[in-house]
Amino acid sequence: MESFINEVNFFNGNDPEELVREYGTPVYIYNEDILRNRMETVSRIITKYPYTANYSVKANTNIHILKMALEEGNNCDAMSVGEIKMLEAAGFSYDRIFFVPNNVTDDELLYAIDRNIMISVDSLAQLKAVGKLNRGGKIAVRINPGVGAGHCDKVITAGKRTKFGISEEDIDEMLALANRYNLKIVGINQHIGSLFMEPEPYLAAVSNLLRIALQFEDLEFIDFGGGYGIPYHKLDGEKEFDMADLSARLEPILDEFVQAYGRTPVFKSEPGRYCVAEGSVLLGRVNSVKHNSGSKYVGTDIGMNVLVRPSMYNSWHDVEFLRDGKTLPREDMEETTVCGNICESGDLLAVNRQLPKAKRGDLACLLDTGAYGYSMSSTYNSRPRPAEVLICRDGSVKQIRRRETYEDLLQYM
Ligand code: LLP
């Protein structure tokens, strides 16, 4: 692919130079059409049986994006009280929120219990804590299915080496504990990890969870987790995750389970990245170009505080350069390292890439930044967080979060 932003008409008729004149750099730009399409797609992964997609809001908690998820019919999963509060503000009713926390305090559990929000516990200790706080209540448990998958060790959340979930060998103890506090286990969930492009590990984990589900008598729902990948290497021709293929291959597995279980629970999934990643690009200004010991460095104002994924996970984001609002063609390229403005050697966005020849004043455009971009940003080096801007379906432009100011940085002191 020569240029993603041109191919999908990402700016929908708007001149990116005008956008940054208005909102500054760095700036996250979102495309409403892509976001809504993705949210709609995940709401149809399972059609034969009762099903809800829980958008996993940790990927992006901008309230305007949460409202889109609500309008597209998604439920949500939350990891913290803060995320629940964002969902409340976006208009989600409590029955549409699934609280899937890890290592939380009694106060955090009580926040959900008091509002009748379904909680999933992921350790026997937390099961006991809920039992004491909500004797006789309903509860879900997060199973570690023993299979994990993901783009790097840091995002694999099942298998032998993870802090998440309750292992299969602890199920008897779990049932005894639930019994002791008269807790009714009405749901089981899992999440094997984040970003797989092939469906096999997910399907294997689904089959495995359904086998485990047969040990529970009264399940109202079974949640298979998220992790569906997106093509971060799209400029090199990487293809989309084949959701239709996943759906088709899920169906016979579910058929078999429903028959064996004798009833039909609601099935759920928890996609985060898939809903939002490709719906955003990050624009930053090239402030300097230099050569160090033969390497070319293109220095931008996109620091690791704005987008941490490359420095944290070695993640790949495709880069396009824009000059006077037009994409530089992918020809006459040279080996380039794109970096930010933070005082760390690891503040690198793209290392030793073949890229068009950028110069000072160009715009760097990082692709696929909608998931775990802004939501993982920080004010490291006392750099205010960027603005977020939405390109609406009708081509109009709306700021959906203002840029932080230096006064914001001082406000708690
Ligand atoms: N459900 C649970 C319980 C999770 O822990 C996660 C992600 C999801 C659902 C959504 O996963 P997704 O569909 O987005 O892959 N910061 C990392 C990803 C960490 C994911 C953490 N859990 C990254 O930037 O790649």
Side-chain angles (χ1 to χ4, degrees):
M1 187 188 286
E2 176 69 21
S3 159
F4 171 73
I5 52 179
N6 292 347
E7 194 144 310
V8 303
N9 186 19
F10 194 90
F11 300 111
N12 201 359
N14 293 280
D15 175 356
E17 277 298 340
E18 254 167 48
L19 292 173
V20 300
R21 229 185 332 273
E22 176 80 21
Y23 301 104
T25 55
V27 60
Y28 279 94
I29 311 275
Y30 295 88
N31 177 300
E32 179 183 7
D33 192 51
I34 299 176
L35 294 170
R36 285 191 186 271
N37 285 340
R38 289 318 183 84
M39 290 168 176
E40 211 267 315
T41 300
V42 296
S43 70
R44 287 184 286 104
I45 295 176
I46 296 169
T47 48
K48 184 167 175 185
Y49 297 106
Y51 163 74
T52 51
N54 285 353
Y55 167 52
S56 190
V57 307
K58 60 185 76 85
N60 193 312
T61 37
N62 186 296
I63 201 153
H64 299 267
I65 292 175
L66 299 183
K67 284 181 180 164
M68 284 183 213
L70 182 66
E71 285 163 12
E72 296 303 325
N74 296 163
N75 287 0
C76 285
D77 82 51
M79 181 70 188
S80 66
V81 170
E83 287 186 351
I84 295 175
K85 285 179 181 284
M86 298 301 285
L87 287 166
E88 286 170 8
F92 280 87
S93 53
Y94 293 127
D95 60 336
R96 297 185 63 174
I97 302 175
F98 186 32
F99 188 31
V100 195
N102 178 236
N103 303 328
V104 282
T105 62
D106 283 3
D107 282 348
E108 290 168 281
L109 292 170
L110 271 175
Y111 187 88
I113 291 167
D114 288 347
R115 287 159 183 77
N116 240 339
I117 295 174
M118 180 58 64
I119 304 176
S120 166
V121 288
D122 93 331
S123 65
L124 297 180
Q126 297 253 282
L127 181 64
K128 196 166 167 183
V130 172
K132 287 184 176 163
L133 296 169
N134 194 29
R135 188 177 271 277
K138 289 183 171 184
I139 186 92
V141 288
R142 176 168 173 176
I143 307 285
N144 177 350
V147 214
H151 66 79
C152 77
D153 285 354
K154 289 183 180 133
V155 301
I156 294 176
T157 50
K160 299 265 179 270
R161 292 166 54 111
T162 175
K163 66 171 181 157
F164 294 106
I166 301 178
S167 304
E168 203 177 338
E169 58 262 28
D170 291 330
I171 289 182
D172 286 345
E173 205 178 333
M174 174 210 298
L175 292 173
L177 250 182
N179 209 21
R180 168 148 33 122
Y181 293 100
N182 200 18
L183 285 172
K184 191 167 171 214
I185 298 179
V186 295
I188 58 173
N189 59 301
Q190 70 179 10
H191 175 72
I192 59 171
S194 195
L195 208 171
F196 46 84
M197 293 304 284
E198 301 298 332
E200 282 76 16
Y202 192 75
L203 292 167
V206 166
S207 299
N208 194 42
L209 189 68
L210 292 175
R211 178 185 54 78
I212 294 172
L214 295 172
Q215 299 175 50
F216 295 82
E217 278 170 10
D218 296 309
L219 292 181
E220 293 172 10
F221 67 89
I222 301 175
D223 178 344
F224 303 127
Y228 318 117
I230 63 109
Y232 282 103
H233 292 260
K234 45 175 57 72
L235 294 183
D236 293 328
E238 193 184 9
K239 296 276 169 295
E240 295 287 334
F241 179 77
D242 192 343
M243 202 55 103
D245 174 56
L246 179 84
S247 297
R249 290 166 71 175
L250 264 177
E251 205 166 287
I253 301 174
L254 302 181
D255 288 342
E256 197 180 319
F257 170 76
V258 167
Q259 190 146 29
Y261 200 53
R263 323 173 267 278
T264 314
V266 176
F267 297 111
K268 297 182 189 232
S269 67
E270 294 175 2
R273 182 189 319 272
Y274 187 86
C275 296
V276 288
E278 293 180 273
S280 166
V281 299
L282 177 55
L283 291 177
R285 188 66 78 186
V286 174
N287 287 334
S288 63
V289 174
K290 73 172 180 188
H291 290 83
N292 259 0
S293 311
S295 297
K296 179 181 180 184
Y297 288 88
V298 170
T300 72
D301 56 8
I302 306 174
M304 63 194 286
N305 65 309
V306 177
L307 180 70
V308 76
R309 301 190 70 254
S311 20
M312 188 158 173
Y313 313 115
N314 256 328
S315 292
W316 179 285
H317 286 268
D318 277 335
V319 181
E320 297 187 21
F321 288 118
L322 306 170
R323 187 167 301 158
D324 303 324
K326 304 261 178 315
T327 316
L328 291 188
R330 282 163 65 78
E331 57 198 32
D332 190 20
M333 309 219 272
E334 65 183 348
E335 191 167 289
T336 304
T337 290
V338 186
C339 52
N341 51 7
I342 294 294
C343 189
E344 296 245 2
S345 313
D347 179 32
L348 305 173
L349 295 163
V351 179
N352 297 340
R353 299 267 183 94
Q354 287 297 322
L355 291 172
K357 291 178 178 154
K359 61 178 195 192
R360 179 179 155 85
D362 290 345
L363 284 175
C365 177
L366 272 83
L367 305 186
D368 308 316
T369 53
Y372 309 106
Y374 192 98
S375 68
M376 293 179 77
S377 66
S378 75
T379 57
Y380 185 39
N381 277 195
S382 292
R383 291 202 168 275
R385 288 186 185 81
E388 294 183 292
V389 169
L390 179 69
I391 312 279
C392 302
R393 271 183 162 157
D394 64 4
S396 61
V397 176
K398 186 161 116 185
Q399 176 168 273
I400 55 173
R401 180 166 359 217
R402 72 157 170 81
R403 184 174 300 283
E404 283 180 353
T405 62
Y406 293 113
E407 290 70 40
D408 291 331
L409 298 185
L410 284 162
Q411 69 180 322
Y412 306 114
M413 297 175 212

